[in-house]
Amino acid sequence: MSNVPLTKEKMDSSNSMIAKAYVKLAKLFQFELNDCDQAINTYDSFLKRFPDSLMGGDIYLGYYYCYNKMGNAGKAAYYKNLLSNQFAGSKAS
């Protein structure tokens, strides 16, 4: 029971670790396994759990990459536009 995060600080830390794990898993699907469908599903799950966190634009960049690779130019352009507008000048753009 001592490892259960019960304070706000411990909950924040736990949620941060979970968020990073989602992104790491999505990138594994995306780059290592070349499974963009599953990468997109993982990004979707991430955004359902953490709707206010875009990881500095990495989420939109992942969507853009996958949709572009899958040949879905419309969705790729949508995420590229979001990335350019919301994260101009960032590492992800």
Side-chain angles (χ1 to χ4, degrees):
M1 289 296 289
S2 65
N3 291 328
V4 176
L6 298 175
T7 65
K8 180 177 177 0
E9 181 179 278
K10 287 184 179 183
M11 284 296 298
D12 289 346
S13 177
S14 175
N15 283 329
S16 177
M17 287 189 286
I18 292 168
K20 289 176 185 175
Y22 266 110
V23 174
K24 188 174 182 177
L25 180 61
K27 288 182 179 185
L28 181 127
F29 283 124
Q30 185 174 333
F31 297 114
E32 302 294 323
L33 300 175
N34 294 313
D35 187 346
C36 279
D37 286 326
Q38 194 57 48
I40 289 169
N41 288 339
T42 305
Y43 287 128
D44 289 344
S45 295
F46 170 88
L47 286 177
K48 284 179 186 166
R49 179 144 186 195
F50 305 103
D52 297 328
S53 178
L54 296 171
M55 304 297 278
D58 280 348
I59 304 304
Y60 288 161
L61 183 61
Y63 277 124
Y64 166 74
Y65 176 89
C66 285
Y67 283 120
N68 192 47
K69 186 172 181 177
M70 295 168 65
N72 189 332
K75 284 198 174 186
Y78 172 78
Y79 285 105
K80 183 177 182 181
N81 185 46
L82 287 175
L83 190 59
S84 296
N85 289 331
Q86 295 181 21
F87 296 96
S90 74
K91 175 182 91 163
S93 66

